[in-house]
Amino acid sequence: MDAQSPQVRWEQRTQRPLLALAVLFAVAYAVPIVDSDAGWPVTLACTVVEWVVWGAFATDYLVRLALAADRLLFVRRHWLDLCAVVVPVLQPLRLLRIVATLLLVGRRARMANQIRLTTYVVGAVVGLLMFGSLAVLSVERSAPHGNIRTLGDALWWSFTTMTTVGYGDHAPTTGLGRLIAVGLMLSGIALLGVVTANIAAWFIARFEKDDAEERRQTEAIEALTAEVRALRAEVAALRDPSRR
């Protein structure tokens, strides 16, 4: 077995710490939004936690970049991580940092394809639903004509938006809120496409496996039939004295 590269070893060692930091970042991001009456010390502490966690994410990206065998290829494959690290002050990209980190942890886990994809989809749905709700609540709650005032309204709106149902009882009125809505809608469509493609691929793989098994059994039967015929010919030759 080939020795693991330094990048792989680093990613394996930082898998759980990154997940813990992602949860910590999520809590720090959610507390000031959910508790609108939180005092200045709580808000400051959450902000410090967010920046410390972002610094850890940035350090992780730089270390992985330094350890990568092909750095240009690494940047191309991890462009979302780069955007989230370079532009942390924009709220949508900060949310993408959380989603990208959860997906990164799932990619590093050694699981079967079906289980890994299920982890991606479930993690992406939960992450987008939670942080989309928090993001839209933070920008719409104080809007003059906004109708998303509570966390329940935000969760309901995020769910109907991600599923592309869009009842229209709640809708963002600010520019940033509508930008978040566009992101949720596109993400919902993309996740639906991933699930549909995975189901189709599973059926195709299943049918191909069944066909291969059927061909193997048919070939075995044909080989066995040929052997039986050969044995019959040998037995007939032994019974017929004229053939001796």
Side-chain angles (χ1 to χ4, degrees):
M1 182 179 295
D2 296 338
Q4 293 180 335
S5 65
Q7 179 188 346
V8 174
R9 291 197 299 269
W10 170 266
E11 291 178 351
Q12 290 178 347
R13 292 174 182 174
T14 57
Q15 175 179 334
R16 292 183 179 179
L18 278 179
L19 178 58
L21 289 175
V23 174
L24 181 62
F25 184 95
V27 173
Y29 179 83
V31 166
I33 299 176
V34 175
D35 186 7
S36 58
D37 297 328
W40 177 80
V42 175
T43 303
L44 178 61
C46 292
T47 302
V48 171
V49 169
E50 289 182 14
W51 279 105
V52 169
V53 173
W54 172 82
F57 287 150
T59 302
D60 172 71
Y61 180 87
L62 293 176
V63 171
R64 290 160 55 211
L65 177 62
L67 296 176
D70 189 338
R71 296 178 181 177
L72 182 58
L73 180 62
F74 177 86
V75 172
R76 290 177 179 176
R77 289 183 175 179
H78 300 82
W79 60 270
L80 185 59
D81 292 31
L82 177 61
C83 292
V85 167
V86 172
V87 196
V89 293
L90 294 182
Q91 196 172 43
L93 290 182
R94 285 167 57 197
L95 298 179
L96 286 177
R97 174 68 261 180
I98 293 292
V99 176
T101 302
L102 293 176
L103 293 178
L104 177 61
V105 172
R107 284 200 302 269
R108 292 178 180 178
R110 294 183 176 180
M111 296 180 292
N113 291 335
Q114 299 296 332
I115 299 177
R116 183 168 60 246
L117 182 59
T118 302
T119 304
Y120 292 166
V121 173
V122 173
V125 169
V126 173
L128 289 172
L129 184 63
M130 290 179 54
F131 296 105
S133 301
L134 293 172
V136 76
L137 179 62
S138 65
V139 300
E140 292 292 326
R141 182 164 48 192
S142 58
H145 304 289
N147 56 10
I148 302 176
R149 303 294 185 183
T150 65
L151 183 60
D153 293 340
L155 286 171
W156 172 251
W157 170 83
S158 296
F159 187 82
T160 57
T161 301
M162 284 190 63
T163 56
T164 66
V165 174
Y167 286 111
D169 50 349
H170 296 287
T173 59
T174 63
L176 184 55
R178 291 171 179 171
L179 181 62
I180 296 173
V182 171
L184 283 179
M185 285 184 283
L186 294 178
S187 301
I189 295 173
L191 289 173
L192 180 61
V194 169
V195 173
T196 303
N198 182 61
I199 293 175
W202 183 85
F203 276 110
I204 293 174
R206 184 66 181 179
F207 291 150
E208 290 179 349
K209 182 179 179 180
D210 293 341
D211 291 342
E213 181 66 20
E214 184 177 354
R215 287 195 299 268
R216 188 187 66 80
Q217 293 178 357
T218 301
E219 293 174 355
I221 292 174
E222 291 177 352
L224 181 59
T225 302
E227 291 180 2
V228 170
R229 289 175 179 173
L231 289 175
R232 286 180 177 178
E234 292 180 2
V235 170
L238 291 174
R239 289 181 179 178
D240 188 356
S242 63
R243 297 184 179 182
R244 296 179 181 178

